[in-house]
Amino acid sequence: MTFEQIIQNLQNKIYHPIYLLHGEESYFIDEISDYIEANVLDEMEREFNLTVLYGRDCTVDAIVSAAKRYPMMANYQVIIVKEAQDVPKLEELAEYVEKTVPTTILVLAHKTKKVDSRKVFFKRADKFGVTFEAKKLYDNQVPAWIKEFVAQKGYTIDQKSCSLLVEYLGGELTKIANELEKLMLNIPSKSEITPDIIEKYIGISKDYNVFELNKALAAKNVLKANQIITHFALNPKENPIQKVIPIVFSFFLKLLLYQTNVKKVNQADLKVIVGTPFLTEYENAARLFSVQKTAMIISYLREYDVKSKGVDNTGSVDSGDLLKELVFKILH
């Protein structure tokens, strides 16, 4: 069952006795468990029929004991086990899952990793309840997710703003959602979220950011690249070199994938290999950088990543100077 199907069923008051929510993307797990916590019971019913447990502090026996109780003045009781991956011997819940109490809704929020689908526990949960694997989105899927998230909140967002958020916040959906929700408190409903708004309320500069640095490097725009890294040097806490290098590394790694595959596969497959539906920037950069130069740049990035962490660096060269050295080597 998909995330959307689960939420729709819950909205239609179609409930199951067990929800096994597992996987690496905590955002989807939290959204489902929070919806169940907030909506299955009304405020008075929650007083007596909502139990929230934490994996490190409970056992399978404690979960089963709570699950076998009957609701008080309500049709259901809800038990949510947060951080269920920390419950010792969780698979021993298999016996209860086969003989669930129909008035109990048991939610297991099993984060950071998936449950072994070969285990009896998983098979029974899948047969008698709902199992949902929350998978991490690929980098090229996150902008589309941002657009959908923003649209559901009644706003719009342009592609550059999506890319800006992904470049700076990474692919962690919870972090992106939190920043967007804080931003939305400060702008009128139905507004468009633009780079200017992101700069004002999230603090990511629309002109001096790693996204723009990658564009300047890809175009061999020496002046623009140096303006950006000078800004970085003046604002080291906002733009630490340890954060800049991995993002630049990702760009040139994708460029190398583009260069080494562009003549071997069709456009659709190339987009999958490179990991983005937008290839124009890589196509343009490939005209300016040879495969050998791109491979050398990747080597430089690895070298300066190590130096930025204090290895082979006596400490006499600060992060701003290291970044200037690195950018010079990339562009020349």
Side-chain angles (χ1 to χ4, degrees):
M1 193 175 291
T2 66
F3 172 79
E4 292 77 15
Q5 288 171 331
I6 293 171
I7 294 296
Q8 186 173 15
N9 280 350
L10 290 169
Q11 291 171 341
N12 292 331
K13 301 188 182 301
I14 300 172
Y15 304 136
H16 297 268
I18 183 166
Y19 290 83
L20 175 56
L21 314 173
H22 65 119
E24 296 181 346
E25 184 47 75
S26 62
Y27 173 82
F28 297 116
I29 294 173
D30 287 337
E31 284 292 294
I32 295 170
S33 59
D34 288 350
Y35 187 92
I36 292 172
E37 182 174 349
N39 293 282
V40 170
L41 304 172
D42 64 31
E43 188 174 353
M44 184 179 296
E45 290 171 340
R46 284 197 293 272
E47 185 72 26
F48 301 102
N49 299 288
L50 173 64
T51 303
V52 178
L53 304 172
Y54 290 86
R56 290 183 182 179
D57 302 324
C58 70
T59 63
V60 168
D61 286 344
I63 295 170
V64 172
S65 177
K68 286 186 175 180
R69 293 197 300 261
Y70 286 91
M72 184 180 296
M73 296 180 289
N75 293 324
Y76 298 98
Q77 71 152 335
V78 174
I79 300 171
I80 298 175
V81 183
K82 299 187 176 184
E83 310 297 339
Q85 71 276 4
D86 295 327
V87 177
K89 300 179 181 179
L90 182 65
E91 62 275 6
E92 291 183 3
L93 265 175
E95 185 176 347
Y96 168 79
V97 173
E98 191 173 27
K99 301 175 182 177
T100 55
V101 176
T103 52
T104 294
I105 297 172
L106 174 61
V107 181
L108 302 172
H110 189 286
K111 298 182 179 180
T112 71
K113 58 184 178 180
K114 59 185 291 187
V115 175
D116 190 342
S117 60
R118 298 168 297 180
K119 298 284 187 180
V120 173
F121 165 57
F122 179 92
K123 291 178 179 178
R124 288 182 181 175
D126 195 46
K127 179 179 180 181
F128 298 108
V130 170
T131 58
F132 170 71
E133 182 184 351
K135 297 179 180 179
K136 281 279 188 186
L137 298 185
Y138 293 111
D139 287 348
N140 63 322
Q141 295 175 309
V142 179
W145 177 86
I146 292 173
K147 284 196 170 186
E148 178 63 25
F149 175 85
V150 167
Q152 289 176 355
K153 301 290 183 179
Y155 296 82
T156 58
I157 187 168
D158 60 35
Q159 187 61 42
K160 182 176 180 180
S161 297
C162 289
S163 299
L164 195 57
L165 289 168
V166 175
E167 291 285 358
Y168 256 79
L169 300 176
E172 189 177 335
L173 303 188
T174 299
K175 183 187 292 186
I176 295 172
N178 288 341
E179 291 294 341
L180 284 170
E181 285 176 344
K182 286 190 289 185
L183 180 153
M184 290 170 190
L185 293 174
N186 293 286
I187 62 175
S189 60
K190 299 182 181 179
S191 298
E192 181 181 25
I193 297 171
T194 64
D196 286 328
I197 290 174
I198 289 173
E199 180 174 8
K200 183 176 181 180
Y201 294 109
I202 299 181
I204 303 171
S205 171
K206 70 179 190 301
D207 296 315
Y208 299 102
N209 56 71
V210 185
F211 179 63
E212 293 298 323
L213 176 60
N214 276 343
K215 286 177 65 176
L217 294 174
K220 283 198 171 181
N221 187 332
V222 177
L223 176 61
K224 182 65 175 178
N226 280 296
Q227 287 175 337
I228 293 170
I229 61 172
T230 298
H231 177 83
F232 287 179
L234 294 172
N235 301 274
K237 291 184 179 180
E238 293 178 16
N239 306 281
I241 189 172
Q242 294 84 0
K243 184 176 181 179
V244 173
I245 289 178
I247 297 173
V248 177
F249 179 88
S250 176
F251 174 82
F252 280 98
L253 182 60
K254 289 178 179 179
L255 175 59
L256 186 62
L257 289 170
Y258 175 90
Q259 290 172 313
T260 54
N261 289 280
V262 65
K263 295 181 180 179
K264 298 178 183 177
V265 299
N266 60 39
Q267 282 282 298
D269 290 339
L270 188 59
K271 289 176 181 179
V272 174
I273 292 170
V274 177
T276 176
F278 310 106
L279 296 177
T280 303
E281 198 166 9
Y282 299 98
E283 182 182 355
N284 293 336
R287 297 191 185 102
L288 300 174
F289 295 89
S290 66
V291 174
Q292 293 76 14
K293 178 63 176 179
T294 304
M296 190 177 295
I297 289 169
I298 290 171
S299 178
Y300 290 149
L301 287 159
R302 289 195 174 112
E303 175 190 346
Y304 279 79
D305 179 56
V306 171
K307 283 185 176 181
S308 74
K309 295 167 183 171
V311 181
D312 296 329
N313 181 7
T314 61
S316 57
V317 182
D318 66 22
S319 61
D321 289 334
L322 282 176
L323 197 54
K324 289 176 183 177
E325 286 180 13
L326 174 60
V327 167
F328 180 86
K329 289 185 177 182
I330 291 173
L331 294 174
H332 297 85

